[in-house]
């Protein structure tokens, strides 16, 4: 009984046709000897009817099937009685009068209902992922992901990018602490590493004159997991030669336009907003600002530096800063509501949270009495504070102020309904610093990675003021998420050497780790740059989900475990012996 | 100086235009103060001219460039003097009169010439892979591979297959001896394994009702390497529900038709030949027969069983067989030429090689005298032996006879020019045995893998005569290479249990290893099956190459080493400690 149609594809146009459907029993109802089976396949659901009038022996068979049985049925498509139309189903005006049925496989009762919107513990869902993936919502997400990959490929292929597979078994990198290692059977005591990204390979492909490369590449990072991280993740990896930054960003905007249009039918406007890192941090307290609403952070230093509010003036004296957020309409909040912001702000490093409410034109709140009349007027003017507003102040070093007010902006913005969930607001964040300073390691570290090209005009600052050097780097952000990032790369040996030196790497170490790359730069390396999009996160946003695991067919848990397969797992000692390794201690054999 | 055109895309239609090219200096010639630079990019080569008449300061810059410098040049496209046309270049009738040049990067002299057909040691090529990949032939192969992937995807997408990424960090399988293992930082003493194929995940996706899945998947096998194996390889992995074998094979034929047409312009005829495993072994001595020529193996048992040729009759008595190959036209070979086949045959297990030459109607050779007149006539009739033919006989057990004559058939067929290198002869090999018997392990092993469905009509033989059970398995072969294979899968728990039992697995072990899969089979698993194509090998054949490494951007050597990156490599002890493992012994610290 070969399938002639999919359940969800039948329409009133098929009325009168004899069809064969294959699928799963969604529900089975017995209405006085007439059986109704809702049959489900990946396209949708079709109601099938078994009636002594036309079903013959099929009726007895149908009587024995249960939910999730796999069956094939044949019969005639007919219009339902109008009073039994099901407006919740696209196929709700028709049904199939079954004349024969075959049970292809039986099914036990599944551990949870196979339908959307059912509340099921995620652990259970992951253990029975093969059932969880039967739910229409999950199938839709998998298909959306497949479609998104296809759109990426079609676009890049049209633009002359060559899909090249780079190795998964590769070399441990200097930031190797987060590398997954793979012992070698052939080379005792040696290890491959799984790539954190194909960065070096894609640069070498530019050296090789391929000019335009892409790959939808699996990457690996063995780090402490968070809700939005997976030990293996997928990036759409892109690199090009002979293109400047502007051309590349414009092309990538067109790629996003195509992606959103062809997957979810959304038309994006271009060009995307471009904002410097400094502005993003200054105005939104974040290098991945959600630009769907305003509520910008407001600089206060000049106004409050000499005010009587001690915590403000002393912070400014120490080189810190004071900023303010005007939470419009929150002037009516109770003291408790305001105080509740405190612990939230503390999570982001706030030691306290000063505030002012505007009520009937008057500033109210504990700090108001320390301001002069003039200062109050200046604050009112700067913040645009009006009746019913709540001003929130953070005073600390730059980073804490940004973190605290950035987080409060998002929290209150959402609370106030300022965020439109159906809006997609892309932006490019530009001019990142090339370095940051690692207080613990007492050295400069690369803000993106050590292959990022410094801006030409900042090159000489590399020796004198590294933290002031801006990078030819860019992130693409969407609704407060970083969905991609990249840079123009260093392509001359002397600059790469300078970079490694600035990172505190001796020439010997640099040569040992990256000699082949610096050698490569001497054989005619073209100017090049690229970008990588986080596919998991983009699909999550396209699908309107908030959890990366919903976008991955077989994800790991937050503790990096595969609950379905039960991996990782113990292995034979013999296997380890072949790999020339042994366990540091036996499992469970904890040293005291 | 932004590129306006690619070198290889300029034609006489561009004459008169001012263009900007970016690329690499292929050659630089000085003809009496006029400089000619052949500029190369991935599209081809364009001759550029620097002349005091029009080049101004560009001439002095051009004078300093050398091979593999990266430059941008602007100038006017003109027609060359007809006497300087270069018929070897598609762009040989035009040149660019350069008015400005910019050196984007300098280059040292590369370790080998960047052009096709240069004989370079492969070790050197792999160490400098980024230069090796600059050669037009290698670039063409990478682009062919990209195109092939795209064709696969387009076809499968059109047919409703969903591209799903399955995990790379997964569980060690029972055939785990060839698994690459990955120690877990989070779970001390436990390991992930890299997948030898996504087999189980794709079956679980069928359980989940996805119905049609594909993935261009990286797979890993840690085994002793041969010329045509890589530790990581790529397969186009396909699985479908609710399709029978015939429909799947027909669809895959259409996929191959599209692939060959769109990559190399070859029209394949369908349907592909279908041949049973038994026939393939019987007629060609191989389960991946090269069908571009005949020269089939001929059964001789009935004729020679009672002949005076002792080695024949005794082999037959012991249950072995005698077969013959008619090497048409080799009857004129010298004794030495014939004897030289001996060592070759010995590699495949032959203990000796009997032969008969037909000269002027007479059978000649050491064994002829042991035949009766009648037997000679029977041999002549059976083999179609004519004047000038050479009959080669192998007598041994079935496997050795197949291996020896199969190998001789290929060798002599090629020697005689019977093989057309421009012909693409696909075939399906069907009805493989489900099991073979492992003499060493003293047990049955799965000929394909333990998820392959036995033929319904052979099911009852599983208990009584396992070796007689045929599998619903199929290989697709092309010109003597296996380019893909698959099967219809077991989808009922009781048959899967029977299979594991037949393989000598206790119910406990089976549950431990595959419990989740057998559980899954109980929740409504549809009939399903699939196939996987070896992408590396297919691309090798499409590109007309004979070495898999030529089709992979960054391959490993035969000893599983990455010469470019120098991987695998030693790692910090601290890294190992974090992974809860230590080396079995220090590198170089061999126990005596």
């Amino acid at each position: 009984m070969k399938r002639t149609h999919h359940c969800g594809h039948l329409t009133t146009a098929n009325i009168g046709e004899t069809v064969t459907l294959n699928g799963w029993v969604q529900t089975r109802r017995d209405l006085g000897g007439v059986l109704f089976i809702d049959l489900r396949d990946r396209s949708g659901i079709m109601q099938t009817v078994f009636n002594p009038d036309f079903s013959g022996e099929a009726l007895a068979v149908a009587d024995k099937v249960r939910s999730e049985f796999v069956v094939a049925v044949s019969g005639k498509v007919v219009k339902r009685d109008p009073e039994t139309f099901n407006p919740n189903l696209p196929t709700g005006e028709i049904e199939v009068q079954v004349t024969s049925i075959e049970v292809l496989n039986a099914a036990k009762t599944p551990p949870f209902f196979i339908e959307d919107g059912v509340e099921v513990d995620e652990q259970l869902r992951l253990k029975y992922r093969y059932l969880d993936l039967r739910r229409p919502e999950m199938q839709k997400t998998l298909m959306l992901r497949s479609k998104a990959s296809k759109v990426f490929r079609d676009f890049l292929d049209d633009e002359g990018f060559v899909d090249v597979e780079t190795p998964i078994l590769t070399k441990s990198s200097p930031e190797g602490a987060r590398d997954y290692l793979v012992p070698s059977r052939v080379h005792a005591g040696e290890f491959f590493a799984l790539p954190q990204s194909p960065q070096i390979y894609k640069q070498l492909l530019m050296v090789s004159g391929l000019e335009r490369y892409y790959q939808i590449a699996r990457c690996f990072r063995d780090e402490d997991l968070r809700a939005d991280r997976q030990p293996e993740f997928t990036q759409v990896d892109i690199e090009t030669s002979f293109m400047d930054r502007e051309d590349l960003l414009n092309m990538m905007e067109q790629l996003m336009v195509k992606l959103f249009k062809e997957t979810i039918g959304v038309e994006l406007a271009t060009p995307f907003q471009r904002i410097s890192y400094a502005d993003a941090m200054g105005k939104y307290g974040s290098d991945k600002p959600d630009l769907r609403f305003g509520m910008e952070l407001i600089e206060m230093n000049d106004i409050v530096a000499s005010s009587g509010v001690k915590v403000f003036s002393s912070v400014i004296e120490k080189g810190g800063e004071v900023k303010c957020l005007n939470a419009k309409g929150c002037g009516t909040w109770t003291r408790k509501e305001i105080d509740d912001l405190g612990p939230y702000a503390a999570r982001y490093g706030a030691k306290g949270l000063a505030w002012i409410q505007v009520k009937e034109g008057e500033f109210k709140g504990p700090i108001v009495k320390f301001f002069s009349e003039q200062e109050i007027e200046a604050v009112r003017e700067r913040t645009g504070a009006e009746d019913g507003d709540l001003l929130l102040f953070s005073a600390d070093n730059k980073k804490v102020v940004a973190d605290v007010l950035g987080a409060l902006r998002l929290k209150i913005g959402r609370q106030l309904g300022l965020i439109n969930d159906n809006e997609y607001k892309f932006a490019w964040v530009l001019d990142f610093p090339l370095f940051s300073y690692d207080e613990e390691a007492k050295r400069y570290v690369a803000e993106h990675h050590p292959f990022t090209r410094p801006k030409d005009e900042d090159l000489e600052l590399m020796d004198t003021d590294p933290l002031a050097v801006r990078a030819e780097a860019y992130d693409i952000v969407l609704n407060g998420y970083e969905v991609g990032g990249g840079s123009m790369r260093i392509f001359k040996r002397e600059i790469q050497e300078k970079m490694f030196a600035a990172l505190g790497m001796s020439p010997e170490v640099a040569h040992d780790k990256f000699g082949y790359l610096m050698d490569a730069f001497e054989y005619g390396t073209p100017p090049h740059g690229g970008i990588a999009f986080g596919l998991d996160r983009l699909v999550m946003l396209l699908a309107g989900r908030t959890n990366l695991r919903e976008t991955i067919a077989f994800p790991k848990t937050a503790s990096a475990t595969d609950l379905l397969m039960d991996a990782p797992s113990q292995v034979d000692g013999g296997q380890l012996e072949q790999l020339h390794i042994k366990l540091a201690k036996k499992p469970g054999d904890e040293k005291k």
Side-chain angles (χ1 to χ4, degrees), chain A residues 104-237:
Chain A
L104 300 173
N105 213 346
K108 294 198 299 193
T109 305
F112 46 79
F113 281 112
I114 309 296
E115 58 188 51
D116 288 340
V118 178
E119 199 67 45
V120 185
D121 175 58
E122 200 191 6
Q123 303 278 100
L124 193 66
R125 287 178 54 200
L126 291 175
K127 182 168 160 54
Y128 291 95
R129 189 62 159 182
Y130 50 87
L131 296 177
D132 188 40
L133 291 179
R134 267 191 207 163
R135 297 192 296 119
E137 191 179 39
M138 294 305 287
Q139 298 226 332
K140 230 175 97 186
T141 305
L142 287 187
M143 290 189 212
L144 173 69
R145 184 179 177 115
S146 178
K147 176 75 185 168
S149 294
K150 192 69 175 42
V151 175
F152 269 110
R153 293 180 187 283
D154 288 347
F155 181 93
L156 292 166
D157 190 65
D158 283 348
E159 293 287 350
F161 287 82
V162 183
D163 180 6
V164 179
E165 297 174 68
T166 57
I168 298 284
L169 292 172
T170 178
K171 186 176 178 160
S172 187
S173 65
E175 311 85 39
R178 299 186 298 180
D179 280 344
Y180 279 103
L181 294 186
V182 184
S184 163
R185 193 164 58 89
V186 182
H187 305 276
E190 299 190 336
F191 294 79
F192 291 105
L194 306 184
Q196 295 187 25
S197 93
Q199 181 64 31
I200 292 188
Y201 286 111
K202 71 175 174 171
Q203 291 195 239
L204 290 174
L205 286 171
M206 294 304 103
V207 179
S208 78
L210 198 71
E211 302 194 18
R212 290 187 173 185
Y213 143 94
Y214 87 96
Q215 182 182 198
I216 300 191
R218 204 72 62 83
C219 304
F220 305 85
R221 209 171 292 163
D222 190 5
E223 62 190 342
D224 299 319
L225 298 163
R226 303 197 304 256
D228 63 345
R229 284 281 169 86
Q230 284 278 315
E232 54 182 307
F233 56 98
T234 302
Q235 68 187 37
V236 183
D237 200 46

Side-chain angles (χ1 to χ4, degrees), chain A residues 125-405:
Chain A
R125 287 178 54 200
L126 291 175
K127 182 168 160 54
Y128 291 95
R129 189 62 159 182
Y130 50 87
L131 296 177
D132 188 40
L133 291 179
R134 267 191 207 163
R135 297 192 296 119
E137 191 179 39
M138 294 305 287
Q139 298 226 332
K140 230 175 97 186
T141 305
L142 287 187
M143 290 189 212
L144 173 69
R145 184 179 177 115
S146 178
K147 176 75 185 168
S149 294
K150 192 69 175 42
V151 175
F152 269 110
R153 293 180 187 283
D154 288 347
F155 181 93
L156 292 166
D157 190 65
D158 283 348
E159 293 287 350
F161 287 82
V162 183
D163 180 6
V164 179
E165 297 174 68
T166 57
I168 298 284
L169 292 172
T170 178
K171 186 176 178 160
S172 187
S173 65
E175 311 85 39
R178 299 186 298 180
D179 280 344
Y180 279 103
L181 294 186
V182 184
S184 163
R185 193 164 58 89
V186 182
H187 305 276
E190 299 190 336
F191 294 79
F192 291 105
L194 306 184
Q196 295 187 25
S197 93
Q199 181 64 31
I200 292 188
Y201 286 111
K202 71 175 174 171
Q203 291 195 239
L204 290 174
L205 286 171
M206 294 304 103
V207 179
S208 78
L210 198 71
E211 302 194 18
R212 290 187 173 185
Y213 143 94
Y214 87 96
Q215 182 182 198
I216 300 191
R218 204 72 62 83
C219 304
F220 305 85
R221 209 171 292 163
D222 190 5
E223 62 190 342
D224 299 319
L225 298 163
R226 303 197 304 256
D228 63 345
R229 284 281 169 86
Q230 284 278 315
E232 54 182 307
F233 56 98
T234 302
Q235 68 187 37
V236 183
D237 200 46
I238 293 169
E239 195 81 5
T240 171
S241 299
F242 304 124
M243 259 182 107
D244 64 21
R245 189 187 79 179
E246 271 314 291
D247 288 347
L248 180 60
L249 299 193
N250 289 336
M251 185 190 272
M252 294 302 110
E253 290 184 4
Q254 290 315 311
L255 172 53
M256 290 298 106
V257 166
K258 183 177 165 82
L259 177 67
F260 275 68
K261 182 166 178 167
E262 296 191 9
T263 54
I264 59 171
V266 165
E267 300 274 358
L268 299 177
T270 56
F272 296 165
Q273 186 176 338
R274 278 135 214 250
I275 181 170
S276 70
Y277 171 83
D279 273 359
M281 295 303 291
K283 290 185 180 165
Y284 306 101
S286 169
D287 61 357
K288 40 180 196 276
D290 190 333
L291 297 170
R292 287 175 295 180
F293 67 108
M295 207 170 150
E296 295 179 8
L297 280 51
I298 305 158
E299 292 186 17
M300 285 287 148
N301 276 24
D302 53 327
I303 296 175
V304 303
S306 54
S307 80
V309 186
K310 254 300 175 30
V311 63
F312 290 177
S313 49
S314 74
V315 152
I316 292 170
E317 235 167 70
K318 283 184 233 148
E321 64 175 15
V322 178
K323 285 187 157 183
C324 170
L325 203 61
N326 183 351
K328 289 266 180 230
C330 301
T332 56
W333 282 12
T334 64
R335 180 66 185 255
K336 183 173 180 316
E337 283 176 302
I338 297 173
D339 284 349
D340 281 351
L341 294 176
Y344 184 79
R347 273 198 250 161
Y348 296 88
K351 292 180 206 74
L353 199 62
W355 55 270
I356 292 172
Q357 276 181 314
V358 193
K359 286 187 168 167
E360 293 163 19
E362 294 286 302
F363 275 29
K364 306 274 183 193
I367 61 168
V368 174
K369 59 175 178 275
F370 301 107
F371 281 118
S372 69
E373 202 53 42
Q374 226 174 354
E375 285 164 348
I376 285 183
E377 279 321 299
V379 169
R380 190 191 302 271
E381 200 188 341
R382 175 75 55 85
T383 62
E386 297 171 317
D387 238 28
D389 287 356
L390 170 67
L391 302 180
L392 295 164
F393 296 83
S394 175
D396 212 307
N397 67 49
K398 220 167 165 169
K399 183 176 180 317
V400 170
V401 169
D403 287 351
V404 168
L405 292 186

